[in-house]
Amino acid sequence: MPVLVLALLVLLVGCAQQQTVLEVDEEVVVARQSFSFTEGEKFDLMPKYTVSPGDTLDVLFQIRTWLEKDTFNISVDHTVAVKFIYTPELNEEQLVRPNGMISLPYIGEYYVVGKTPKQVEQELKKAYAGILKDPEIYVQVPEFQSAIKELKRDLHTAPRGLSRLVTVRPDGYVTFPMVGEVMAAGRTIEALNTELNRDYEQLISGLHVDLFLERHSGSLVYVLGAVNEPGAFTIVKPISVAQALALAGSYNDDAQLDSVIVARHHQGKVIATRIDLSRSGALGGRKPMFYLMPDDLVFVPRTRISEAAQIARQVSEALMFRGWHITVESVSIDEL
C-alpha cells in the first residue's frame, strides 16, 4: 500500500510539473517581471540614464554673441569709454577692474558693474555738476567681449577646438573649465547640462555649453555561485536572469535553479528575492522571466535555500565579493 501511494504521488507530481512546461509547437505569452518597486518598467530600455564614475563627457562650448538682449549691463571684462564733449582732455577709456571700478578725473574711483551705459551717463552728469560748468557726458563700451575673445582663442588653439573631454572621478565629481568641480554622478545629462549653462552664463554672458556622453563606463551585472565563469558582465540593456547565466558560461550540474537569488540596491538597502528559474519561461516553463538592472547581483546556490535567514546569509557572503559589505540584518527578503 505505501508503495502504491508513493507511485501515485510521483505520478501527480510529474503531471503538475508537466503543466508548467511548454509543449512542442505550443506558443504562450511569457510575462516579464522584476522587483516589486520597479513596477511599470518595460525592460526594453535602461531606466533614465544617470552619469556614473568613469564616464567620459564631451563639453561643447558655444559663444552666443548674436543673441539680442533687452538690456546691456557693464561687466568686469568690459572696456568703458567716458567722453566729455566740452572738455575732451578729461576723456578716459579703461578696462573695468575686478572690483567693478574705473578711475575718473576729479571724482576718483567710480563703480560701473551692473549698470547700463545710460545709467552711468546720468550719474556722472550729476557727479560733475559741481565741478564742470556744463558737464555734457556720454558713455560707450567699445570692448565688451574680452573674456569671450580670450576663451575663443584658448579653445581654437586646443587640440579638440571648441569641445573638452572630462572624466567623472570615482568620487562622482567632474572638473569643468572655469566652473570648477561639479557633482555629476547619479544625475541625468539634461539636469547637469542645465546647471552648467546657468553657471557659465553667470561667468560670461552668451557662453553656452552642450553636454554629450562620449563614453560610458559600462553597466554591469554580477553572477556568482554555481556557474562556469562567475564575474562581472557588461550589459547595454536590461537582461533576464537566464541571459545573465549565459554570459557566465551557464550553470553547473549541481546548481539549484529553484533557489536563485537576485540582490539589488534600493533606497539605501539591499533587497533580495528568490526566484524559481527552473520554471521560468526562459527555460521552457510558464513562470515570468525575471529581468535584471545595472549593478544587480545573481547568486546561484549549490543547495536549495528554503528560509529567509539562509537567503540573507548567502546573499551577504556573495555581496562581500564585490565590496558591498552589508550585514544579514540589512538584507530585505522578497520571495516570489
Side-chain angles (χ1 to χ4, degrees), residues 108-245:
E109 289 194 335
Y110 173 70
Y111 190 81
V112 295
V113 169
K115 301 176 182 178
T116 67
K118 184 59 68 177
Q119 286 177 309
V120 174
E121 286 180 3
Q122 294 171 351
E123 292 180 4
L124 289 180
K125 287 180 180 179
K126 292 180 181 178
Y128 279 98
I131 301 173
L132 302 176
K133 182 179 179 181
D134 189 7
E136 189 66 31
I137 301 170
Y138 70 93
V139 175
Q140 293 178 320
V141 184
E143 183 65 61
F144 56 87
Q145 294 180 344
S146 300
I148 288 181
K149 287 183 177 180
E150 183 178 347
L151 176 64
K152 278 185 174 180
R153 184 169 58 251
D154 292 342
L155 291 174
H156 281 301
T157 56
R160 289 185 59 87
L162 292 175
S163 73
R164 288 286 188 276
L165 293 181
V166 294
T167 301
V168 185
R169 302 199 306 261
D171 61 359
Y173 280 87
V174 177
T175 301
F176 291 97
M178 297 187 292
V179 170
E181 292 195 344
V182 177
M183 171 55 74
R187 305 175 63 183
T188 64
I189 298 290
E190 180 183 9
L192 187 57
N193 204 159
T194 299
E195 178 181 337
L196 286 175
N197 278 320
R198 184 180 64 246
D199 293 342
Y200 277 116
E201 178 66 27
Q202 292 175 353
L203 290 173
I204 300 178
S205 180
L207 179 57
H208 178 86
V209 296
D210 287 317
L211 200 60
F212 304 94
L213 181 64
E214 173 75 10
R215 184 172 57 253
H216 67 88
S217 57
S219 299
L220 302 177
V221 293
Y222 303 83
V223 185
L224 302 174
V227 292
N228 293 320
E229 300 174 9
F233 303 94
T234 301
I235 61 173
V236 296
K237 65 178 183 178
I239 64 172
S240 68
V241 173
Q243 289 172 314
L245 295 188

Side-chain angles (χ1 to χ4, degrees), residues 82-92 105-106 128 131-138:
V82 182
K83 306 293 184 179
F84 295 81
I85 302 298
Y86 301 117
T87 53
E89 66 274 12
L90 300 181
N91 290 351
E92 290 287 344
Y106 300 117
Y128 279 98
I131 301 173
L132 302 176
K133 182 179 179 181
D134 189 7
E136 189 66 31
I137 301 170
Y138 70 93

